[in-house]
Amino acid sequence: VLFAAPAAHAARWNVDTAHSKLGFTVVWAKQPFIATFKNWKADIDFDAANLAASKADVTIAIGSMTSGDTETDASIKGDVGFGAAKFPTAHFVSTGFTHKSGNDYVAQGTLTLKGVTKPVTLPFTLTINGKSAHMVGTADIMRTQFGVGTGQWAAPDPVALNVEVDIDLTAMRN
């Protein structure tokens, strides 16, 4: 007879997208260019006491990107930028979590953007209050590693190569 311990599971968190933000900041012509994604979905299981069972799976609708400048947004969503017509989603999947200290954690994972998958590290701060959680983090990525910015836009000027992916989310424990 085999005895197996039941698998430990992390708590499921339902993201409140109305009170959450996912976007990016990049220096463009020496000024910050800030954009957000209006449509995205995050499936998150997280337990600070059981990081091995914790996971995150985030899908972002690239075409929902907006900066408030429709002409610039259309260019960024085009082939030299995100290529949203051919690659309509970006996808982040966690591969592990590390507790640094206090409320500080790091998520390791992979980001698939424009058909390219690369490892990404996301440092974040997490505050849990009862059944509510608030997470804030920033991941730094090099846009050209994902083929974002081709031709004349592959240079570091006028658009910086480093892009900060900004996350500010609120969730409720299921």
Side-chain angles (χ1 to χ4, degrees), residues 17-133:
T17 54
H19 293 99
S20 300
K21 178 182 159 192
L22 175 61
F24 65 91
T25 303
V26 63
V27 175
W28 190 333
K30 299 183 177 32
Q31 299 294 319
F33 176 85
I34 301 168
T36 58
F37 295 97
K38 296 297 180 187
N39 297 319
W40 52 279
K41 178 185 175 204
D43 292 320
I44 299 172
D45 295 338
F46 188 86
D47 184 343
N50 188 4
L51 294 178
S54 298
K55 59 187 176 181
D57 189 319
V58 182
T59 302
I60 305 157
I62 294 298
S64 73
M65 186 220 83
T66 182
S67 70
D69 179 340
T70 55
E71 186 176 325
T72 301
D73 292 353
S75 294
I76 293 170
K77 293 175 196 177
D79 290 341
V80 297
F82 286 124
K86 186 174 180 183
F87 303 101
T89 60
H91 190 208
F92 173 82
V93 178
S94 65
T95 56
F97 289 90
T98 306
H99 178 238
K100 296 310 247 179
S101 66
N103 292 340
D104 296 329
Y105 296 85
V106 175
Q108 297 84 25
T110 58
L111 175 65
T112 301
L113 176 63
K114 206 171 177 181
V116 177
T117 301
K118 297 279 185 188
V120 171
T121 301
L122 171 64
F124 66 94
T125 301
L126 177 67
T127 304
I128 298 175
N129 187 3
K131 290 188 170 198
S132 176

Side-chain angles (χ1 to χ4, degrees), residues 129-142:
N129 187 3
K131 290 188 170 198
S132 176
H134 183 225
M135 177 263 199
V136 177
T138 300
D140 291 320
I141 65 169
M142 296 296 288

